[in-house]
Amino acid sequence: MKNARQKKILEIIKEYNVETQEELAKRLKESGFEVTQATVSRDIKELGLIKIATGNDSYKYHMVNEQRQGINISRLSRLLQDSVVKIDHSENLIIIKTLPGVANAIASCIDHIQWPEVIGTVAGDDTILIVVKPSDAVYKVMDTIDKLLQ
């Protein structure tokens, strides 16, 4: 129920300029979800929603992570295309060799995307170590990186 409700919240804030928790609760009730203001408040916090200005002294709820992730994926794709020399893997580790001075920027983008399979990265000047869990997810991560390279 919680997942369905939170999914509906994201749909509502994409479709409407929702300014208050009360307005969000009303729209949820119109969609068949019986909620209290406290439940809506918790959902807003868990989803990481923020209020952004829409002009004319009004605000609306917005999903900040979605915007950042889109920016980071786009940036990662450009960096990979411009800088990757070689990619290889072993067990649950992926190594990306880059042009000198770019590895930290690429690793930072990977960290901010928050792939569920990526535990973390370590970057030097021209080498990135990506730790993947579970180890069979290495191919999924490498496939995604290959797509971003194109």
Side-chain angles (χ1 to χ4, degrees):
M1 183 71 162
K2 177 180 174 179
N3 288 338
R5 184 181 64 245
Q6 289 184 349
K7 182 178 177 185
K8 188 63 179 179
I9 288 172
L10 295 176
E11 290 173 12
I12 290 169
I13 67 167
K14 283 181 184 177
E15 188 173 342
Y16 303 101
N17 287 343
V18 178
E19 295 185 41
T20 64
Q21 291 180 7
E22 292 79 17
E23 181 183 353
L24 184 54
K26 178 183 169 218
R27 291 197 182 274
L28 283 167
K29 287 177 184 175
E30 290 169 356
S31 298
F33 293 92
E34 286 301 318
V35 294
T36 64
Q37 185 274 330
T39 300
V40 171
S41 178
R42 277 191 301 275
D43 286 341
I44 288 170
K45 183 175 181 179
E46 288 177 15
L47 290 168
L49 301 181
I50 61 167
K51 280 192 171 183
I52 61 170
T54 60
N56 300 326
D57 293 326
S58 64
Y59 294 85
K60 71 174 187 170
Y61 283 105
H62 180 72
M63 180 69 185
V64 71
N65 293 337
E66 180 179 298
Q67 181 184 19
R68 284 186 185 158
Q69 184 155 345
I71 291 168
N72 286 328
I73 288 173
S74 175
R75 181 171 185 235
L76 176 59
S77 180
R78 284 191 315 272
L79 286 168
L80 289 170
Q81 290 169 12
D82 292 343
S83 308
V84 169
V85 175
K86 180 181 176 186
I87 300 176
D88 204 351
H89 75 282
S90 177
E91 300 287 328
N92 69 322
L93 305 173
I94 299 172
I95 299 291
I96 300 177
K97 291 291 211 172
T98 70
L99 297 173
V102 188
N104 278 304
I106 292 173
S108 178
C109 283
I110 291 169
D111 290 339
H112 284 92
I113 288 170
Q114 298 177 354
W115 279 329
E117 304 86 6
V118 174
I119 295 175
T121 62
V122 178
D125 185 54
D126 62 357
T127 305
I128 304 163
L129 170 67
I130 303 173
V131 182
V132 179
K133 183 177 179 181
S135 59
D136 60 354
V138 164
Y139 296 106
K140 179 180 177 185
V141 174
M142 286 189 63
D143 185 51
T144 303
I145 291 170
D146 284 340
K147 288 177 183 171
L148 292 171
L149 276 164
Q150 299 176 19

